[in-house]
């Protein structure tokens, strides 16, 4: 069995603040020209009314300067945010994200720990075969389809990419079980491409603050990628997803401990 690196694990969510004693990087500088470009995009984007979680009409999205300050605070609290899926290399990251569709990160991690111990490369996953992979992931929703996709994408990686994960949106999206969201996550985490994949948490947070008001996840992703200042774009996905998961929750957001509560325009903030 080939040697493998220790699984990478996520840090605490950005909204929980950085751990004590953690090093801090200087805040990135956002140029005035960048703010002007963001404002121009915002004026031309699909900014409209939306419904808040309590039925109120949401306000217009925050201005460019406020948006930059929001991400400055996220950066100050957690300069290097991490996702919560466990992986050891780009291939295991790809598999974990494919398995995470309609499943919790915790549930995926429980299944992939034993799986990645025996197959952390596409050649090994292909050798396992669909039946063995299915046995490892049967605790995850839609496990039959996902097992089939994992083996199929492993075959394509071996036969067409020399056993490596391509760093291309187009090449990733043709893999079985990989859509635009999964491809964006892999590009962002594995290759440092500043993509902002939008899940239910980010969709809610963006429309609630609001950062960008959009009726679909694709529209919100396009809007955020155009508006978030470049120095913060790479980690925006993790800051927003962790903020939505642990602070700006769907049913009862924890506004009293939110580090951007004074900048948020959500009309139905909760109280202590």
């Amino acid at each position: 069995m080939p040697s493998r690196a220790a699984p990478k694990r996520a840090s605490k969510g950005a909204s929980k603040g950085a751990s004590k004693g953690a090093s801090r990087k200087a805040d990135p500088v956002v140029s005035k020209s960048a703010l002007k470009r963001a404002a121009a995009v915002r004026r031309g984007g699909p900014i409209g009314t939306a419904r808040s979680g309590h039925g109120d009409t949401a306000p217009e999205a925050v201005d460019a300067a406020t948006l930059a300050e929001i991400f400055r605070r996220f950066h100050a609290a957690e300069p290097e945010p991490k996702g919560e899926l466990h992986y050891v290399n780009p291939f295991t990251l790809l598999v974990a994200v494919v398995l995470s569709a309609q499943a919790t990160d915790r549930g995926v991690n429980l299944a992939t720990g034993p799986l990645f111990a025996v197959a952390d490369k596409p050649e090994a996953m292909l050798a396992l075969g669909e039946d063995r992979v299915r046995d490892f992931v049967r605790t995850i929703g839609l496990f039959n389809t996902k097992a089939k996709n994992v083996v199929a994408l492993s075959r394509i990686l071996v036969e067409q990419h020399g056993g490596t994960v391509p760093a291309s949106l187009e090449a990733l999206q043709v893999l079985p079980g990989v859509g635009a969201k999964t491809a964006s996550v892999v590009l962002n985490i594995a290759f440092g491409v500043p993509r902002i994949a939008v899940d239910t948490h980010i969709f809610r947070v963006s429309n609630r603050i609001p950062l960008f008001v959009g009726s679909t996840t694709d529209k919100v992703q396009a809007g955020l990628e155009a508006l978030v200042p470049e120095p913060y774009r790479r980690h925006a996905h993790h800051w927003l997803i962790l903020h939505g998961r642990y602070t700006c929750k769907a049913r009862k957001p924890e506004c009293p401990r939110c580090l951007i509560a004074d900048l948020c325009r959500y009309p139905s903030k909760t109280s202590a």
Side-chain angles (χ1 to χ4, degrees):
M1 183 183 302
S3 60
R4 54 191 292 272
K8 299 178 183 179
R9 297 180 183 274
S11 65
K12 294 182 179 180
S15 57
K16 292 184 177 181
S19 59
K20 293 182 179 179
S23 59
R24 287 289 180 269
K25 295 183 178 180
D27 293 332
V29 176
V30 181
S31 66
K32 292 183 179 179
S33 60
L35 294 179
K36 290 181 179 178
R37 285 196 300 274
V41 171
R42 187 178 304 283
R43 287 194 296 272
I47 303 294
T49 57
R51 293 290 173 181
S52 71
H54 292 271
D56 303 310
T57 299
E60 289 189 357
V62 298
D63 57 73
T66 301
L67 185 142
E69 172 61 15
I70 286 171
F71 282 97
R72 188 201 66 77
R73 293 186 190 182
F74 284 152
H75 174 271
E78 186 66 73
E80 298 288 337
K82 304 294 182 183
E84 297 186 325
L85 287 174
H86 297 171
Y87 64 96
V88 297
N89 53 37
F91 172 68
T92 52
L93 171 66
L94 173 62
V95 172
V97 179
V98 167
L99 294 175
S100 71
Q102 299 181 48
T104 65
D105 288 356
R106 181 177 181 276
V108 172
N109 290 337
L110 289 173
T112 56
L115 173 62
F116 294 160
V118 297
D120 63 355
K121 291 181 173 59
E123 295 86 353
M125 195 71 71
L126 188 57
L128 273 184
E130 191 175 322
D131 290 341
R132 291 282 312 280
V133 173
R134 184 185 302 112
D135 289 339
F136 280 103
V137 303
R138 64 174 53 255
T139 56
I140 301 173
L142 306 175
F143 65 90
N144 282 312
T145 298
K146 290 178 179 179
K148 181 177 180 180
N149 286 339
V150 166
V151 173
L153 71 83
S154 297
R155 185 182 305 279
I156 292 174
L157 293 180
V158 170
E159 295 178 351
Q160 300 181 21
H161 299 281
T164 62
V165 176
S168 158
L169 183 67
E170 294 74 19
L172 285 170
Q173 284 189 267
V174 301
L175 297 175
V178 178
K181 175 186 167 185
T182 295
S184 292
V185 171
V186 172
L187 288 174
N188 180 245
I189 299 175
F191 303 107
V193 179
R195 303 281 297 185
I196 307 176
V198 175
D199 71 343
T200 54
H201 294 297
I202 297 178
F203 183 77
R204 177 179 67 255
V205 168
S206 182
N207 279 286
R208 180 182 277 174
I209 293 175
L211 301 173
F212 182 88
V213 177
S215 58
T216 67
T217 55
D218 287 343
K219 289 180 179 179
V220 171
Q221 177 168 348
L224 290 175
E225 288 178 355
L227 292 169
V228 174
E230 190 278 331
Y232 302 118
R233 209 170 296 152
R234 179 181 177 186
H235 293 310
H237 168 77
H238 284 127
W239 282 321
L240 293 174
I241 196 171
L242 294 171
H243 186 66
R245 184 173 291 170
Y246 296 111
T247 301
C248 197
K249 300 175 182 178
R251 294 187 178 181
K252 188 177 181 181
E254 298 184 13
C255 301
R257 71 179 190 86
C258 175
L259 79 168
I260 60 167
D262 59 314
L263 303 176
C264 176
R265 298 179 178 180
Y266 183 50
S268 302
K269 290 187 178 72
T270 59
S271 56

